[in-house]
Amino acid sequence: MKNNYSTKKFIIYDITTCALFAALMCIFGPMSVPIGPIPISLTNLVIYLAVYLLGPRESTISYLVYLLLGAVGLPVFSAYSGGMGKLLGPTGGYLIGFIFMAIISGVALKLSKANVFITAAGMVLGTAVAYAFGTAWFVKVASYTWADALKVCVFPFIPFDLGKIVIASILGKIVRSALTKAGLLPEMRKQTAKQKAEA
């Protein structure tokens, strides 16, 4: 009974944290700065932080919840927009590309055991994949050439996204350390549950 209670408690914690980060994406996602066809968004900053604090599975689930909320029409995307029209529009590829970014970043964190440099490198790689996916979709939908699309969809955002990765790495490491000590990280909770089961 005690182990079942602990398992249920961990499941409730997972659901709560996923919902919390999905809510943060809904709050910060619409806060965008229009600099062209693709706005500067804070969504990926929240995803980077979610990766650090939740791990690959829960951070991806959080983003998928956010994406679903936007797809059904809630104004949680950039410039307080929402709906399938946004996903199918010129910038929709980047929203889908963030799924791969969360997965790749999370896998880097997990395999490196949260090594800050390897995790940051994973975030850079994941962001590059999101760029590639989003730019390919933009070229198709907006009828841009690849050269022109890179000029408006990728190059202006590289310094901003690198800055977000640095911020997430600093904040993520600090908060992750505190959560580790409290035994609240997913891997720490699994280890605790295993120890209790073996006791």
Side-chain angles (χ1 to χ4, degrees), residues 38 90-95 97 127-155 157:
I38 310 294
T91 63
Y94 295 97
L95 291 169
T127 302
V129 172
Y131 280 164
F133 193 92
T135 304
W137 182 255
F138 186 85
V139 167
K140 177 179 175 60
V141 175
S143 299
Y144 269 55
T145 64
W146 272 93
D148 289 338
L150 289 173
K151 290 177 183 177
V152 299
C153 299
V154 175
F155 297 151
F157 298 90

Side-chain angles (χ1 to χ4, degrees), residues 112-186:
S112 70
K113 297 182 179 179
N115 177 283
V116 66
F117 298 107
I118 296 176
T119 301
M123 290 178 175
V124 171
L125 176 60
T127 302
V129 172
Y131 280 164
F133 193 92
T135 304
W137 182 255
F138 186 85
V139 167
K140 177 179 175 60
V141 175
S143 299
Y144 269 55
T145 64
W146 272 93
D148 289 338
L150 289 173
K151 290 177 183 177
V152 299
C153 299
V154 175
F155 297 151
F157 298 90
I158 292 175
F160 293 104
D161 288 338
L162 288 176
K164 293 173 190 175
I165 290 172
V166 170
I167 292 171
S169 297
I170 294 171
L171 289 179
K173 185 176 181 180
I174 293 171
V175 179
R176 185 179 175 86
S177 177
L179 292 178
T180 299
K181 292 178 181 177
L184 293 176
L185 288 176

Side-chain angles (χ1 to χ4, degrees), residues 58-124:
E58 285 81 2
S59 60
T60 303
I61 291 173
S62 295
Y63 180 69
L64 289 173
V65 170
Y66 162 78
L67 202 62
L68 179 61
L69 292 173
V72 298
L74 293 182
V76 296
F77 296 148
S78 60
Y80 296 92
S81 59
M84 287 301 298
K86 183 74 173 180
L87 287 176
L88 298 176
T91 63
Y94 295 97
L95 291 169
I96 301 300
F98 283 167
I99 299 173
F100 305 110
M101 184 183 77
I103 293 171
I104 294 170
S105 301
V107 169
L109 177 133
K110 186 174 182 178
L111 293 179
S112 70
K113 297 182 179 179
N115 177 283
V116 66
F117 298 107
I118 296 176
T119 301
M123 290 178 175
V124 171

